[in-house]
Amino acid sequence: MGMTENLLTTSQWVITLLLFLTILVQAARSIDWQAFRKDSALQHSFFGAAVVLGFVWQLRAGISPGLAIHIFGITALTLMLGWALAVLSGLLALVITVITGREPLLMFAANGLVTVMVPAFVSHWIMRWERRRDFRNFFAYLFFCGFFGAGISVAAAGIVMCLMLWTSGVYAFDELVHEYLRYLPLFMIPEGFVNGTVVTGLMVFHPDRLTTLDQRRYR
């Protein structure tokens, strides 16, 4: 989303940092690192996705500070790796944007929370919901978790970002509605299309790369 310096108050920055560190620790503890070290395909997906996202996130649009628009891609990443590895891979991509100067280091936690962690959690929750419903058609996984999940995840991230900017006093609520929120449904469409297309390609050619896909349910 492109949080820049001086957009958050000191208290917001501290709270955001604490939330960021808490989720980061939980993600790191949730990963089976021994299995990860042994699975070269998973490592390739992890690092390859981070590099791709790191360069995709260089492309963005927006006029006002903090209200940048770009493709997230976190939903596809979550379905590929699981939420914990998706968070770490997304943060690695965010490191690339910091190195290239697209994001400030001071706002790494805020950008990581909004751009990576919130979409990953929403995508993970939708994937778990699809599992609990026990759909037997693989199109349910594709549309609910891929297309629909991506749109909802970017909407959730956008709303969280707007709440942060509104409560910090940087923007009035009317400004956020006028410059960002009223366009949010339009952002959801390309996000859903890009992530859904990636997931579709993986389901057809490399279903084993989707670690959250239980292929036995759809046979």
Side-chain angles (χ1 to χ4, degrees):
M1 287 296 182
M3 285 280 191
T4 56
E5 297 178 13
N6 302 321
L7 286 181
L8 301 181
T9 63
T10 302
S11 58
Q12 280 183 316
W13 187 87
V14 172
I15 293 172
T16 300
L17 179 62
L18 292 176
L19 284 173
F20 173 85
L21 292 176
T22 300
I23 297 172
L24 180 60
V25 170
Q26 182 60 37
R29 294 179 62 183
S30 301
I31 297 170
D32 185 345
W33 290 107
Q34 185 174 2
F36 178 75
R37 287 193 295 268
K38 294 180 179 178
D39 193 337
S40 59
L42 185 60
Q43 293 175 29
H44 293 158
S45 296
F46 177 86
F47 291 109
V51 172
V52 170
L53 283 184
F55 285 100
V56 168
W57 289 351
Q58 306 294 320
L59 307 175
R60 60 186 66 189
I63 300 175
S64 301
L67 299 178
I69 304 164
H70 60 81
I71 296 296
F72 281 35
I74 297 298
T75 295
L77 197 61
T78 302
L79 297 179
M80 286 174 57
L81 305 175
W83 82 269
L85 281 175
V87 165
L88 296 187
S89 182
L91 293 179
L92 185 58
L94 195 59
V95 169
I96 295 175
T97 65
V98 172
I99 293 173
T100 58
R102 296 294 287 174
E103 302 287 2
L105 180 59
L106 183 63
M107 301 303 292
F108 186 86
N111 283 317
L113 185 65
V114 173
T115 307
V116 178
M117 293 177 174
V118 170
F121 268 121
V122 173
S123 300
H124 176 71
W125 180 85
I126 293 174
M127 182 271 296
R128 288 178 60 87
W129 172 82
E130 191 270 341
R131 280 186 180 177
R132 288 196 298 269
R133 294 302 299 265
D134 198 27
F135 293 110
R136 294 297 177 177
N137 192 316
F138 73 90
F139 282 108
Y141 177 89
L142 176 60
F143 285 106
F144 285 122
C145 301
F147 289 93
F148 177 76
I152 295 300
S153 69
V154 76
I159 291 172
V160 170
M161 179 197 66
C162 287
L163 287 174
M164 293 170 66
L165 295 175
W166 178 47
T167 54
S168 70
V170 175
Y171 293 102
F173 187 74
D174 290 343
E175 289 181 284
L176 291 171
V177 172
H178 178 73
E179 296 192 26
Y180 191 86
L181 289 175
R182 69 174 179 170
Y183 301 112
L184 196 54
L186 298 178
F187 308 157
M188 296 167 65
I189 296 173
E191 184 72 26
F193 176 78
V194 170
N195 284 266
T197 301
V198 171
V199 173
T200 300
L202 290 173
M203 287 185 70
V204 173
F205 298 106
H206 297 286
D208 54 304
R209 293 297 179 97
L210 292 167
T211 61
T212 61
L213 176 64
D214 185 359
Q215 300 181 52
R216 296 170 299 179
R217 286 173 49 203
Y218 309 112
R219 293 176 179 175

